[in-house]
């Protein structure tokens, strides 16, 4: 099987996965907004309605953190192999991670208003640390844009991506290390948490489906973004050769 045939088969597979992810997004919307039962233990109708943001809030947060982990791993592999493709993967993953983490922070703020009576409680370690993570990876993108030399840019970005990932587990564990009002989805959180609810089996099903959907969407977007970066580099190579002739 030739290279072009293999590439065609791979493109077809990724196209099918993109269609599947689109269908799964529609199903996830139905499961989260209609099918899943409301959190009956929440005191007000507004809180029970806004609670449905939870399915997308958690899924977006998971994909954001996973994307930053991929960036750290890709950075390590780049420093070992010096292959540019791993730098492309690290960059693409940060861009996707920043997008999903922004969605996570915004949806969390929407949930916080009726639950905590504020859009942004600065005294909550989870929310504050999530905002810090977002700023760290925005700075990653700014750092890349400030360096012209491709090899130096890739090397520094790899080191930054590895060190920056330390902020991710700190954010995940913050609701277990410090007293916080943010409820925990996995395990037991602080006794002072507010807005938690009893997760019924149907709620857990809707959450898992949404997490799987967002994860598949991440890989589809990663594939598309890395391919775009490959094409950009090919164009740059052609321009360089033409200028040298």
């Amino acid at each position: 099987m030739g290279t072009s045939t293999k590439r065609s088969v791979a493109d077809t597979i990724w196209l099918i996965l993109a269609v599947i992810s689109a269908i799964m997004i529609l199903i996830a919307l139905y499961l989260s907004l209609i099918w899943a039962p409301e959190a009956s233990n929440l005191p007000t109708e507004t809180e029970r309605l806004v609670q449905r943001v939870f399915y997308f809030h958690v899924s977006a947060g998971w994909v954001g953190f996973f994307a930053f982990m991929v960036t750290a791993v890709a950075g390590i592999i780049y420093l070992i192999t010096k292959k540019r493709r791993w730098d492309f993967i690290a960059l693409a993953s940060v861009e996707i991670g920043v997008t999903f983490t922004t969605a996570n922070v915004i949806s969390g703020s929407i949930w916080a208003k009726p639950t905590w009576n504020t859009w942004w409680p600065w005294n909550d370690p989870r929310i504050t640390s999530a905002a810090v993570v977002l700023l760290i990876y925005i700075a990653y993108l700014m750092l890349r844009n400030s360096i012209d030399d491709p090899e130096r840019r890739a090397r520094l970005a790899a080191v930054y991506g590895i060190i920056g990932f330390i902020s991710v587990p700190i954010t995940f564990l913050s609701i277990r290390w410090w007293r916080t009002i943010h409820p925990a989805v996995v395990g037991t959180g602080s006794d002072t948490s507010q807005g938690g609810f009893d997760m019924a089996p149907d709620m857990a099903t809707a959450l898992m489906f949404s997490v799987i959907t967002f994860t598949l969407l991440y890989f589809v977007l990663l594939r598309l973004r890395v391919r775009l970066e490959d094409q950009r580099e090919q164009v740059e190579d052609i321009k360089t050769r033409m200028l040298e002739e």
Side-chain angles (χ1 to χ4, degrees), residues 17-225:
L17 289 176
V19 173
I20 291 174
S21 66
I23 295 172
M24 289 179 68
I25 288 172
L26 295 176
I27 297 174
L29 285 170
Y30 169 76
L31 293 178
S32 303
L33 301 179
I34 299 175
W35 183 77
E38 67 177 16
S40 57
N41 64 313
L42 295 178
T44 68
E45 183 177 356
T46 302
E47 287 181 71
R48 292 193 291 272
L49 178 63
V50 175
Q51 177 272 332
R52 293 183 182 277
V53 171
F54 153 83
Y55 302 103
F56 308 109
H57 172 70
V58 174
S59 301
W62 151 250
V63 170
F65 288 179
F66 179 72
F68 299 143
M69 182 182 71
V70 170
T71 294
V73 173
I76 293 172
I77 298 176
Y78 172 79
L79 292 176
I80 296 172
T81 65
K82 305 299 182 186
K83 292 183 177 178
R84 293 288 302 282
R85 188 169 181 79
W86 289 107
D87 179 50
F88 296 163
I89 292 174
L91 168 62
S93 199
V94 165
E95 291 177 345
I96 298 169
V98 166
T99 302
F100 277 89
T101 303
T102 300
N104 171 262
V105 169
I106 292 174
S107 60
S109 184
I110 294 172
W111 176 83
K113 180 59 177 173
T115 304
W116 299 333
N117 198 32
T118 178
W119 294 104
W120 193 272
W122 285 103
N123 60 342
D124 183 69
R126 165 59 71 84
I127 293 178
T128 303
S129 59
V132 170
V133 169
L134 186 58
L135 292 175
I136 286 173
Y137 284 96
I138 290 175
Y140 171 99
L141 298 175
M142 295 173 66
L143 172 69
R144 292 189 65 102
N145 290 333
S146 67
I147 302 173
D148 293 328
D149 180 61
E151 292 188 6
R152 182 167 176 264
R153 178 175 61 216
R155 187 171 61 253
L156 289 178
V159 174
Y160 187 104
I162 295 167
I163 297 174
F165 182 69
I166 296 173
S167 63
V168 173
I170 292 176
T171 299
F172 178 77
L173 295 171
S174 60
I175 56 178
R176 293 163 180 80
W177 286 351
W178 299 291
R179 294 177 66 85
T180 173
I181 59 174
H182 196 294
V185 177
V186 179
T188 304
S190 168
D191 293 337
T192 60
S193 64
Q194 301 172 18
F197 57 90
D198 299 327
M199 191 183 303
D202 288 346
M203 289 181 174
T205 300
L207 175 62
M208 286 307 302
F209 189 89
S210 182
V211 168
I212 293 171
T213 299
F214 275 50
T215 305
L216 177 59
L217 179 62
Y218 162 79
F219 282 109
V220 170
L221 293 175
L222 184 71
R223 155 76 179 183
L224 292 173
R225 183 63 184 89

